[in-house]
C-alpha cells in the first residue's frame, strides 16, 4: 500500500518556491457582515474570544505546490474531512497577537515579525510547513483591510488576532501531513482587567507537567494546552486563576504558567525570569519586558529559579514582586502561589510597583502613548500589498 509508505521528504524541503513575496490574496467580502449597530453593540462589551469579525484569512499548502490560494473570505465553519490528520494526531500550531487602535484612529500591531518567526519554529517542531514571514504579516494586513472597523477604541481594548495552522490531509497513517491549511481569525477583546489590574493566586501543579525534555514545550501548539486543561481545572478548584508548571525533568525549577511566562522582582532593581530551556515558550511579552527593564537600568537575569528560591526569596524579603506576562493579559501581578501543603506569598498583597510600571510602559508603547523607541510597532491599516 504505497500511501502508507513513510515519506522520504519533509514538508519544508519540498516545493521550492519561485514566487514573489508576499502572496497575493483574493478577497470575497461577506454578504452577512454585521451592521454598524450590531458591531458597535459587540464592541461595547466584547469579553474575550467569544465574538469574531466578519472575515477570515485562509492559505492552502500541499507538499507539491507549497503555499497557494491565499484569500480573505467570510468568517465561517471549516469543512474538514473526518479523517483530517489534525483531528487524530493533533498536528496544529497557533499564534496570538493584537491589533491596537491609537488615539488618531490608526491601527497597529506589536512585533509581528516575532510571531511570524515563532510560528516558523513551532512549524518545524510539529513537522508543518513554514509560512514565510512576509505572508504572515500580509495575512494580518489583509484581514484588517476588511475588518479594521472591528478594532475597538476604548482604553485597553484590542482586536485579538489568532493565526493557526492545521494538518488537513485525509489520511490516518502516522506521518507529517502533505496537506495543510493556515488561517487567521480575529476576535475583539475587552479590557482584561475591567475593574483595574488585580493580582491573582496561582496553583502549583505537582502532579502534571506541560512539557518534558525534547518535547513540544517551546512550540505554541494546541497539544500543550490540551495537556494543561486538567491541572488548570485543579487550579480553579483550589481558588486559583492559573496553573504553574515545574520543569518535567527535576520538578524543582519554575517553568511557566499554562499560557504565560513568569518574572520575579528582587529588591528594586533586579528582574529574574526562568531561562529558555526548551520546555518554556519564548513569549514576545517576556522578551519585551526584559528589554524595558534593561532600559530602566535594571539588572535582568535569565536563569534557573527553583521552588525553593521562590519560597526562601519571599520569606527573606529578597523577592518583592512576582508577575506573569503574555499577550492576552499583558502583565498580571501574582500575589500568592498555592499548592498541596504550600502557600507562598500574601493573597491580599497589592500589585507591585515595578510590575505595574512595566505594564504601563508596555501598554503605553502598544497604544501609541509613548514613543516606539525600539521600532516594535507595525501599522496595519495601510493599503495592502503596497510595501
Ligand atoms: C503564548 C504563550 C505565552 C506568552 O507569549 P506571548 O508572545 O507573550 O503572548 C507564554 N506561555 C505559553 C505556554 C504560551 O503559549
Amino acid at each position: 500500500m504505497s500511501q502508507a509508505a513513510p515519506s522520504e521528504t519533509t514538508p519544508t524541503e519540498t516545493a521550492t518556491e519561485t514566487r514573489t513575496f508576499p502572496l497575493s490574496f483574493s478577497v470575497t467580502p461577506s454578504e452577512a457582515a454585521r451592521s454598524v449597530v450590531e458591531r458597535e453593540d459587540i464592541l461595547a462589551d466584547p469579553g474575550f474570544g467569544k465574538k469574531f469579525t466578519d472575515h477570515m484569512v485562509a492559505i492552502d499548502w500541499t507538499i507539491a505546490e507549497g503555499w497557494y490560494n491565499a484569500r480573505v473570505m467570510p468568517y465561517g465553519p471549516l469543512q474538514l474531512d473526518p479523517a483530517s490528520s489534525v483531528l487524530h494526531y493533533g498536528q496544529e500550531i497557533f499564534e496570538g497577537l493584537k491589533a491596537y487602535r491609537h488615539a488618531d484612529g490608526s491601527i497597529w500591531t506589536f512585533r509581528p515579525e516575532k510571531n511570524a518567526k515563532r510560528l516558523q519554529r513551532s512549524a518545524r517542531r510539529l513537522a508543518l510547513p513554514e509560512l514565510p514571514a512576509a505572508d504572515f504579516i500580509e495575512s494580518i494586513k489583509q484581514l484588517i483591510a476588511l475588518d479594521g472597523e472591528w478594532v475597538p477604541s476604548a482604553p485597553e481594548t484590542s482586536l485579538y488576532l489568532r493565526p493557526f495552522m492545521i494538518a488537513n490531509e485525509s489520511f490516518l497513517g502516522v506521518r507529517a501531513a502533505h496537506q495543510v491549511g493556515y488561517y487567521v481569525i480575529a476576535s475583539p477583546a475587552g479590557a482584561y482587567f475591567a475593574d483595574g489590574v488585580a493580582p491573582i493566586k496561582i496553583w502549583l501543579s505537582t502532579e502534571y507537567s506541560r512539557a518534558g525534555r525534547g518535547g513540544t514545550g517551546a512550540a505554541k501548539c494546541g497539544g500543550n494546552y490540551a495537556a494543561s486543561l486538567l491541572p488548570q481545572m485543579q487550579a480553579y478548584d483550589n481558588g486559583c486563576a492559573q496553573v504553574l508548571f515545574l520543569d518535567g525533568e527535576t520538578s524543582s525549577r519554575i517553568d511557566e504558567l499554562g499560557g504565560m511566562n513568569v518574572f520575579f522582582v528582587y529588591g528594586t532593581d533586579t528582574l529574574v525570569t526562568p531561562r529558555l530551556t526548551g520546555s518554556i515558550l519564548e513569549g514576545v511579552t517576556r522578551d519585551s519586558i526584559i528589554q524595558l527593564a534593561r532600559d530602566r537600568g535594571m539588572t535582568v537575569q535569565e536563569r534557573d529559579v527553583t521552588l525553593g528560591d521562590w519560597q526562601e526569596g519571599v520569606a527573606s524579603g529578597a523577592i518583592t514582586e512576582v508577575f506573569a506576562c503574555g499577550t492576552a493579559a499583558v502583565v498580571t501581578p501574582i500575589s500568592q502561589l498555592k499548592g498541596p501543603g504550600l502557600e507562598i506569598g500574601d493573597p491580599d498583597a497589592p500589585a507591585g510597583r515595578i510590575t505595574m510600571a512595566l505594564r504601563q510602559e508596555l501598554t503605553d508603547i502598544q497604544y501609541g502613548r509613548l514613543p516606539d523607541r525600539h521600532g516594535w510597532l507595525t501599522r496595519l491599516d495601510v493599503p495592502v500589498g503596497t510595501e
Side-chain angles (χ1 to χ4, degrees):
M1 201 173 86
S2 68
Q3 219 191 359
S7 164
E8 294 300 317
T9 46
T10 63
T12 43
E13 281 167 2
T14 57
T16 340
E17 293 175 82
T18 52
R19 59 176 174 90
T20 53
F21 291 93
L23 288 164
S24 60
F25 284 67
S26 70
V27 175
T28 309
S30 171
E31 285 172 6
R34 263 68 54 90
S35 69
V36 175
V37 172
E38 285 171 307
R39 189 179 64 228
E40 291 306 323
D41 209 42
I42 292 170
L43 293 187
D45 184 20
F48 183 83
K50 296 187 295 195
K51 304 284 183 181
F52 300 89
T53 63
D54 293 319
H55 298 89
M56 61 192 280
V57 159
I59 312 179
D60 298 326
W61 180 93
T62 64
I63 197 162
E65 293 178 75
W67 295 106
Y68 71 104
N69 195 18
R71 56 205 187 277
V72 187
M73 58 189 200
Y75 182 93
L78 298 176
Q79 270 218 330
L80 282 185
D81 189 286
S84 291
S85 26
V86 65
L87 301 177
H88 304 273
Y89 308 125
Q91 202 187 354
E92 186 268 356
I93 56 176
F94 67 96
E95 270 304 323
L97 65 172
K98 286 173 167 175
Y100 306 91
R101 192 177 294 283
H102 287 189
D104 65 359
S106 59
I107 302 170
W108 302 76
T109 193
F110 185 72
R111 309 187 78 183
E113 58 291 333
K114 292 282 249 185
N115 299 88
K117 290 250 168 59
R118 188 169 66 190
L119 187 71
Q120 292 177 339
R121 290 198 301 275
S122 300
R124 284 201 286 278
R125 181 63 185 84
L126 275 285
L128 284 160
E130 291 176 41
L131 181 73
D135 297 327
F136 177 89
I137 291 170
E138 181 71 6
S139 70
I140 289 167
K141 288 184 178 169
Q142 290 279 345
L143 188 56
I144 292 296
L146 269 81
D147 285 344
E149 302 285 355
W150 285 88
V151 182
S153 53
E156 311 295 305
T157 63
S158 60
L159 182 65
Y160 183 79
L161 303 164
R162 169 54 61 85
F164 63 104
M165 195 189 294
I166 60 172
N168 59 14
E169 182 180 1
S170 310
F171 178 48
L172 294 183
V174 180
R175 60 148 166 75
H178 290 176
Q179 185 180 314
V180 164
Y182 165 83
Y183 307 91
V184 188
I185 56 175
S187 175
Y192 197 89
F193 295 100
D195 304 316
V197 178
I200 59 167
K201 292 186 282 185
I202 61 174
W203 177 253
L204 176 71
S205 183
T206 49
E207 203 176 340
Y208 301 106
S209 307
R210 66 172 286 281
R213 190 156 69 94
T216 56
K220 208 168 176 74
C221 63
N224 291 342
Y225 279 74
S228 76
L229 298 179
L230 175 61
Q232 176 66 45
M233 279 166 63
Q234 296 176 338
Y236 287 141
D237 290 345
N238 286 280
C240 295
Q242 292 282 327
V243 60
L244 176 84
F245 292 102
L246 298 172
D247 77 282
E249 268 174 274
T250 69
S251 295
S252 64
R253 286 170 298 173
I254 307 298
D255 258 4
E256 60 169 318
L257 305 186
M260 285 192 271
N261 297 117
V262 61
F263 278 89
F264 301 86
V265 180
Y266 278 74
T268 55
D269 62 356
T270 303
L271 196 59
V272 176
T273 193
R275 72 190 166 88
L276 299 171
T277 54
S279 58
I280 294 176
L281 198 284
E282 187 176 344
V284 178
T285 318
R286 175 187 182 277
D287 187 80
S288 308
I289 292 283
I290 288 173
Q291 182 65 53
L292 294 182
R294 292 205 165 117
D295 293 350
R296 286 168 173 258
M298 293 183 75
T299 302
V300 181
Q301 299 169 344
E302 295 178 68
R303 61 163 167 87
D304 290 344
V305 181
T306 64
L307 191 57
D309 292 337
W310 191 340
Q311 204 148 22
E312 287 156 28
V314 168
S316 72
I319 293 177
T320 49
E321 304 177 24
V322 187
F323 64 86
C325 71
T327 296
V330 198
V331 167
T332 305
I334 295 171
S335 56
Q336 190 183 46
L337 175 68
K338 286 176 66 176
L342 175 90
E343 285 189 0
I344 307 178
D346 171 6
D348 300 318
R353 186 179 59 80
I354 292 165
T355 301
M356 292 308 287
L358 288 167
R359 180 182 213 285
Q360 188 67 42
E361 185 170 13
L362 183 56
T363 53
D364 281 348
I365 292 171
Q366 290 169 334
Y367 286 93
R369 297 182 296 244
L370 273 182
D372 175 23
R373 65 179 184 275
H374 291 293
W376 281 344
L377 301 188
T378 294
R379 187 155 180 186
L380 292 176
D381 57 330
V382 288
V384 286
T386 57
E387 283 167 287

